[in-house]
């Protein structure tokens, strides 16, 4: 059935496909959905149309866009999977039709209060995964047919692809902005020390690696690198929380092992499904020794003025969030005059084509005596000659010749 003056369903569907293609450049998912839902109503002679997307954290379907029942979005409607009409569609992964809309068949009272008499809902699928639900409704007592369900499923497939493409684009932008915003804006000035850093990401941002360099009120310098397992916006958000926690706890203790333990307890409680590694190094003027502690992270790489480079010997504790029976331990690492210490993340050494031991040895050979900036330049040139395939964070610290102490 179609209203007077409307194009046939086949033409409407072709128009819908053209819109999903032409609008993929938008970053605003909600605007894209509303535009597409307007065409969905025309295709199926429906009075209402809505999209609910699955919230992975809560497991609920959340109203993201609607036409004819806009209050569903304004009121932030949430429907648990398996509950009500939309919940049934998500749970079954199959189209569901309703010829009676009331409190016994739908969970959202807006639908029957609006006067909707019949409904049709289909899942939004990406592969075999349900990412949401698309449903339409009619105010007239006119049931949806099997061909209507087939047509709406075709629309849903197209719409799901558009939603996923936009969400990925938004996530990439948000991840990049968040990562960059959390990096130190300006490195501290420490008499007798040179500091240099690198932060490199692949074309598709991974998210989760970070470095931090800061001083506390006592004047102590802290140098940190860390890595949150996973990728995307979620990893970048967790990274920001862990970085902030480390900074906060460094105000309470000058022992990097204790700071890591306090941070570990926070991660275990608030981020129980995430694995985080980190290494912390701290020193007071004149910086002739650093106290260093690690949590599942590779040790600092050292190179004295006369070479060769070597890895600092220190106990490597478990990752953050993992309970430890024995206390975490710090170790003292000497910084002779003109020596360089490098903290880094595993994106600098890991390669699918070689073992981690081989990568670590390649890293050791790549570091030569020189300035902190030269250390970063040598490592990125020689370790990343085939491009950046993972996030890479590097901090190089060099003690000036002639520094007192």
């Amino acid at each position: 059935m179609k209203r007077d003056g409307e194009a046939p369903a086949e033409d409407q569907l072709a128009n819908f496909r053209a819109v999903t293609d032409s609008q993929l450049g938008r970053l605003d998912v909600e605007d894209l959905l509303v535009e597409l839902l307007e065409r969905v109503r025309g295709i199926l002679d429906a009075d209402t149309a809505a999209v609910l997307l699955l919230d992975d954290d809560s497991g609920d379907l959340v109203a993201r866009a609607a036409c004819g029942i806009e209050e569903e979005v304004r009121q932030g409607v949430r429907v648990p999977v398996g509950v009500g009409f939309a919940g049934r569609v998500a749970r079954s992964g199959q189209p569901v039709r309703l010829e009676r809309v009331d409190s016994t068949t739908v969970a959202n009272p807006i639908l029957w209060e609006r006067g909707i008499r019949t409904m049709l809902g289909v899942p939004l699928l990406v592969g075999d995964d349900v990412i949401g639900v698309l449903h339409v409704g009619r105010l007239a007592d006119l049931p949806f047919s099997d061909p209507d369900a087939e047509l709406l499923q075709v629309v849903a497939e197209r719409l799901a692809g558009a939603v996923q493409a936009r969400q990925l684009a938004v996530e990439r932008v948000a991840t990049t902005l968040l990562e960059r915003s959390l990096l130190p804006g300006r490195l501290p000035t420490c008499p007798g020390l040179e500091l240099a850093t690198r932060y490199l990401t692949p074309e598709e941002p991974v998210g989760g690696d970070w470095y931090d360099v800061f001083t506390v009120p006592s004047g102590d310098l802290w140098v940190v690198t860390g890595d949150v397992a996973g990728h995307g916006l979620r990893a970048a958000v967790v990274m920001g929380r862990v970085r902030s926690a480390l900074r906060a706890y460094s105000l309470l203790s000058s022992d990097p092992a204790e700071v890591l333990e306090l941070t570990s307890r926070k991660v275990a409680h608030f981020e129980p499904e995430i694995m985080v590694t980190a290494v912390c190094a701290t020193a007071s003027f004149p910086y002739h020794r650093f106290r260093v502690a690690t949590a599942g992270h590779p040790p600092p790489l050292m190179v004295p003025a006369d070479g060769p480079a070597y890895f600092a010997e220190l106990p490597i504790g478990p990752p953050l969030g993992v309970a430890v029976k024995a206390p975490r331990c710090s170790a003292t690492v000497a910084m002779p005059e003109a020596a360089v210490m490098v903290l880094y993340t595993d994106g600098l050494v890991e390669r699918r084509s070689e073992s981690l031991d081989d990568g670590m040895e390649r890293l050791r050979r790549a570091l030569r005596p020189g300035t902190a900036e030269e250390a970063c330049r040598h490592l990125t040139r020689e370790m990343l000659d085939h491009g950046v395939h993972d996030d890479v964070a590097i901090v190089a610290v060099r003690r000036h010749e002639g520094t007192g102490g």
Side-chain angles (χ1 to χ4, degrees):
M1 176 180 176
K2 69 180 183 66
R3 293 172 179 165
D4 292 341
E6 283 192 337
E10 292 79 3
D11 294 342
Q12 294 276 6
L13 184 57
N15 185 23
F16 177 87
R17 286 174 171 153
V19 171
T20 58
D21 287 336
S22 65
Q23 300 299 329
L24 284 180
R26 291 190 178 185
L27 291 181
D28 192 320
V29 176
E30 282 71 19
D31 284 351
L32 175 60
L33 289 175
V34 169
E35 192 160 355
L36 299 181
L37 289 180
E38 287 288 1
R39 283 155 177 78
V40 169
R41 288 203 298 176
I43 292 171
L44 290 170
D45 190 27
D47 298 290
T48 66
V51 167
L52 297 88
L53 297 182
L54 185 64
D55 183 335
D56 291 331
D57 292 330
S58 68
D60 291 341
L61 295 165
V62 181
R64 290 289 298 273
C67 293
I69 45 172
E70 286 79 4
E71 57 268 39
E72 186 168 275
V73 177
R74 290 196 296 267
Q75 295 179 19
V77 167
R78 305 180 75 93
V79 178
V81 172
V83 175
F85 171 64
R88 286 171 54 200
V89 176
R91 173 64 59 82
S92 67
Q94 300 293 327
V96 174
R97 281 180 283 171
L98 286 183
E99 296 185 9
R100 184 183 68 196
V101 180
D102 56 28
S103 60
T104 67
T105 57
V106 299
N108 179 12
I110 293 174
L111 300 177
W112 71 77
E113 291 172 356
R114 178 71 174 78
I116 298 173
R117 305 294 295 277
T118 62
M119 295 188 69
L120 169 63
V122 296
L124 298 177
L125 298 170
V126 174
D128 295 328
D129 297 327
V130 176
I131 67 166
V133 170
L134 165 64
H135 67 67
V136 293
R138 290 173 177 159
L139 300 178
D141 193 11
L142 179 64
F144 289 94
S145 64
D146 288 340
D148 289 335
E150 293 173 3
L151 187 58
L152 190 62
Q153 191 65 70
V154 172
V155 169
E157 291 171 2
R158 195 73 175 179
L159 195 148
V163 168
Q164 185 186 42
R166 288 300 85 226
Q167 287 183 323
L168 290 175
V170 171
E171 182 172 306
R172 283 195 294 269
V173 172
T175 299
T176 300
L177 291 175
L178 181 58
E179 287 180 328
R180 296 293 178 180
S181 70
L182 292 172
L183 297 176
R186 177 179 297 178
L187 297 178
T189 300
C190 299
L193 285 187
E194 297 172 10
L195 299 168
T197 63
R198 292 290 190 277
Y199 184 74
L200 307 171
T201 60
E203 292 184 4
E204 294 294 326
V206 175
D209 287 24
W210 87 95
Y211 73 83
D212 205 1
V213 185
F214 59 92
T215 57
V216 294
S218 67
D220 288 358
L221 171 70
W222 284 76
V223 182
V224 181
T225 58
D227 184 3
V228 177
H231 62 276
L233 185 58
R234 168 67 171 162
V237 169
V238 173
M239 175 265 285
R241 293 172 183 161
V242 174
R243 171 186 176 275
S244 296
L246 277 166
R247 280 194 164 199
Y249 292 133
S250 71
L251 299 176
L252 303 178
S253 175
S254 61
D255 181 2
E258 185 176 1
V259 168
L260 287 176
E261 177 58 23
L262 291 170
T263 307
S264 180
R265 295 175 192 173
K266 178 184 182 297
V267 171
H269 183 74
F270 292 105
E271 319 284 354
E273 298 179 358
I274 298 293
M275 188 181 77
V276 185
T277 67
V279 57
C280 295
T282 183
S284 304
F285 181 83
Y287 314 112
H288 59 283
R289 66 174 66 91
F290 276 78
R291 297 183 71 191
V292 185
T294 73
H297 204 83
L301 181 60
M302 313 292 300
V303 61
D306 55 356
Y310 62 92
F311 292 102
E313 294 185 6
L314 65 159
I316 298 179
L320 302 179
V322 177
V324 293
K325 295 181 180 180
R328 294 179 185 270
C329 299
S330 301
T332 298
V333 175
M335 279 286 286
E337 291 183 354
V340 176
M341 177 177 66
V342 177
L343 278 64
Y344 51 93
T345 56
D346 58 14
L348 189 62
V349 295
E350 287 188 342
R351 299 289 182 276
R352 293 181 180 179
S353 59
E354 68 180 4
S355 69
L356 181 59
D357 288 343
D358 289 342
M360 296 291 282
E361 176 59 21
R362 191 159 51 87
L363 175 65
R364 189 193 66 79
R365 293 196 306 267
L367 184 60
R368 298 187 290 275
T371 67
E373 180 60 31
E374 287 171 344
C376 287
R377 187 163 60 246
H378 290 155
L379 293 180
T380 54
R381 183 179 64 232
E382 297 187 28
M383 297 298 293
L384 305 174
D385 54 341
H386 295 299
V388 180
H389 303 289
D390 194 1
D391 286 353
V392 175
I394 305 172
V395 182
V397 182
R398 180 178 183 269
R399 187 162 172 251
H400 287 170
E401 295 183 74
T403 300

